[in-house]
Amino acid sequence: MERVSTSVMRVLGGNPGMFTLQGTNTYLISPPNLERYPHLLLIDTGQGSAFPIWRRSIAQVLASESARIGKQVHITQCVLTHWHHDHVGGVNELRQLCAEEHAPAGDSEGGKEEKRGEELRIYKYPLSSAPPSEIPSSKDPSLDIETQLLRSANDDQDVGLIHPLHDGQILEVGDSTATDDEMLKLQVLYTPGHTADHIALLIASSPADPAEVGTIFTADAVLGHGTAVFEDLALYMRSLEKMKNAVEEMIVGKRGSETGGGNGQVEQEKRKGLAFPGHGAVIPDARAKIDEYIRHRAMREKEVLDVLAGTSAGQDGKVGGERKAWTPMEIVKVIYENVPESLHEAARRGVLQILQKLEAEGEVETVDEGERWRIIQKHHQQEQTTNDDSAQEPRSTL
């Protein structure tokens, strides 16, 4: 565990050496006055029983903070950023831990069960409320995490265990009797693309440290290393723009107006908001990293269009008088020619997402019963000039 800002403690919830993503970050959010209101909010729960170290780490943090302030510290709120198992897998462990923390000494197991739903509120953006166009076509039952969590309960008291979130909702961390200005506030940002139910969280108010305003918890939309995967590229791109604009508005717009503009606003524009990702290291400049992600995806889209248009090096792009039609893997072998073949299948899935986005935008069409893709609109000359920063990105990045 490490404290990475006044209000935020980071806990690694996985085996760092076992997966490429190097474990799942979970975060404990502290209220402005923990001594007066010893209740924490947790973001995500890691992978659960697969990695018992996560529960032990959480318990150690609670014990350490309790000893520091001389009062028992509890987790009373938990936000799940999306349905993937490495973010929700520890829900039952969390509930059990909270039951043990809240139960008076000598209570029976029944007493613990009775307290469990009362003391811990778990929040998640529900898949069922996402627009139909934003829900993946996959029938994988693991998508219905709300149903899974309810079925895993031991009694009927847990019906309604998951409290639904909505876009723009404010979650408060602090004493319920405190004034509005004394509460740490997290704003929910609905950011589909990685999954249909994905959210980010933005610190909208932090009385203990105003510099934290504009800090964003990006979950799996933006990572601390590498690039993210996604179910729907078009939605994902809109979500990246939404996150970037939200951070800018919080740092420059709101805080700049509070300082009365002028030099104060210039200072706000220079301030770099942190980003806390679902995997990897803390990101020191959220806006720069999100913008890097946007540029990277735009670069990949342009590379696909270049191949289809026959403007890539060594490609004529035509068969007879017609534009050549390409399979996604054929495109991969051009764009990722210097990348190990073991990564080509992952790259193919990304290229397919790009093609589907371009098809929806009227740029390309499918032929040969959907097996191949061909460009429709002329590839404009001005699009052939690659941004210098994008051109410097490593080709191994998918």
Side-chain angles (χ1 to χ4, degrees):
M1 188 277 293
E2 60 177 320
R3 184 177 288 276
V4 287
S5 72
T6 302
S7 306
V8 183
M9 291 172 276
R10 183 173 73 149
V11 181
L12 183 67
N15 186 333
M18 197 165 180
F19 298 105
T20 302
L21 291 177
Q22 298 184 352
T24 303
N25 293 327
T26 65
Y27 299 95
L28 285 166
I29 312 301
S30 173
N33 189 339
L34 186 65
E35 293 80 1
R36 186 177 70 188
Y37 188 78
H39 295 177
L40 301 174
L41 180 146
L42 175 69
I43 299 176
D44 286 332
T45 65
Q47 301 182 64
S49 58
F51 296 103
I53 189 175
W54 178 81
R55 177 174 171 170
R56 293 199 299 269
S57 297
I58 292 290
Q60 288 170 3
V61 172
L62 295 178
S64 174
E65 290 298 292
S66 297
R68 185 177 65 83
I69 68 172
K71 186 182 295 186
Q72 182 64 51
V73 174
H74 301 286
I75 297 173
T76 54
Q77 299 181 84
C78 174
V79 179
L80 304 175
T81 59
H82 59 294
W83 70 264
H84 283 168
H85 181 72
D86 59 326
H87 292 260
V88 305
V91 165
N92 284 337
E93 281 77 7
L94 175 65
R95 292 165 63 221
Q96 291 164 7
L97 177 63
C98 289
E100 295 167 5
E101 294 287 341
H102 284 295
D107 259 16
S108 66
E109 185 67 23
K112 294 178 184 179
E113 292 293 336
E114 186 176 352
K115 277 286 188 182
R116 182 176 60 191
E118 176 186 341
E119 300 292 350
L120 174 66
R121 291 177 66 88
I122 300 176
Y123 299 91
K124 181 183 169 297
Y125 194 99
L127 272 168
S128 57
S129 67
S133 62
E134 297 176 4
I135 297 179
S137 58
S138 170
K139 301 301 182 182
D140 185 346
S142 64
L143 291 179
D144 191 3
I145 188 63
E146 293 94 340
T147 299
Q148 277 202 20
L149 291 175
L150 291 175
R151 286 177 178 172
S152 70
N154 295 323
D155 52 58
D156 293 337
Q157 294 179 14
D158 289 306
V159 173
L161 171 68
I162 306 299
H163 297 270
L165 294 171
H166 60 82
D167 190 32
Q169 181 174 344
I170 298 294
L171 298 174
E172 296 180 336
V173 185
D175 187 348
S176 58
T177 65
T179 64
D180 196 51
D181 291 338
E182 294 176 320
M183 297 285 240
L184 186 143
K185 297 179 182 179
L186 295 170
Q187 181 181 4
V188 176
L189 299 178
Y190 178 45
T191 52
H194 176 71
T195 60
D197 60 339
H198 192 280
I199 64 162
L201 292 165
L202 187 70
I203 295 184
S205 174
S206 178
D209 185 1
E212 288 181 333
V213 172
T215 293
I216 188 169
F217 298 85
T218 59
D220 283 4
V222 175
L223 304 179
H225 58 264
T227 56
V229 297
F230 37 83
E231 295 173 345
D232 187 309
L233 178 57
L235 285 176
Y236 178 66
M237 294 300 293
R238 290 200 290 271
S239 291
L240 288 177
E241 292 285 357
K242 180 177 183 176
M243 287 191 295
K244 180 185 173 184
N245 292 338
V247 172
E248 287 182 345
E249 172 62 24
M250 199 61 67
I251 291 178
V252 180
K254 180 178 179 180
R255 303 302 298 171
S257 63
E258 290 178 2
T259 59
N263 292 335
Q265 184 161 353
V266 171
E267 289 303 312
Q268 291 297 333
E269 290 174 354
K270 293 179 180 178
R271 185 165 72 81
K272 299 176 180 179
L274 294 175
F276 294 110
H279 303 274
V282 176
I283 299 165
D285 189 338
R287 288 180 289 178
K289 176 59 72 171
I290 297 171
D291 194 51
E292 176 187 320
Y293 265 50
I294 292 170
R295 294 197 316 272
H296 177 75
R297 295 265 62 93
M299 177 193 73
R300 289 299 183 213
E301 186 173 310
K302 180 185 179 300
E303 287 177 334
V304 169
L305 282 170
D306 283 346
V307 172
L308 295 177
T311 55
S312 292
Q315 305 295 322
D316 59 23
K318 289 187 178 182
V319 176
E322 296 293 327
R323 288 289 183 191
K324 180 179 177 180
W326 298 73
T327 67
M329 185 56 77
E330 288 172 343
I331 296 173
V332 165
K333 290 183 181 299
V334 174
I335 297 176
Y336 298 94
E337 60 179 340
N338 297 321
V339 173
E341 287 193 11
S342 60
L343 298 176
H344 281 192
E345 177 54 30
R348 185 197 67 82
R349 293 193 294 269
V351 166
L352 182 58
Q353 287 277 357
I354 293 173
L355 291 168
Q356 291 169 341
K357 175 178 179 288
L358 292 172
E359 182 182 27
E361 295 170 351
E363 294 278 350
V364 304
E365 61 183 354
T366 58
V367 297
D368 296 340
E369 298 182 349
E371 294 294 323
R372 294 177 177 274
W373 303 75
R374 181 171 62 198
I375 196 166
I376 296 175
Q377 298 180 1
K378 183 179 178 182
H379 202 44
H380 299 294
Q381 289 297 320
Q382 60 266 31
E383 293 178 349
Q384 296 177 16
T385 302
T386 304
N387 181 285
D388 290 340
D389 292 336
S390 298
Q392 295 171 8
E393 293 191 43
R395 301 281 280 186
S396 60
T397 303
L398 301 181

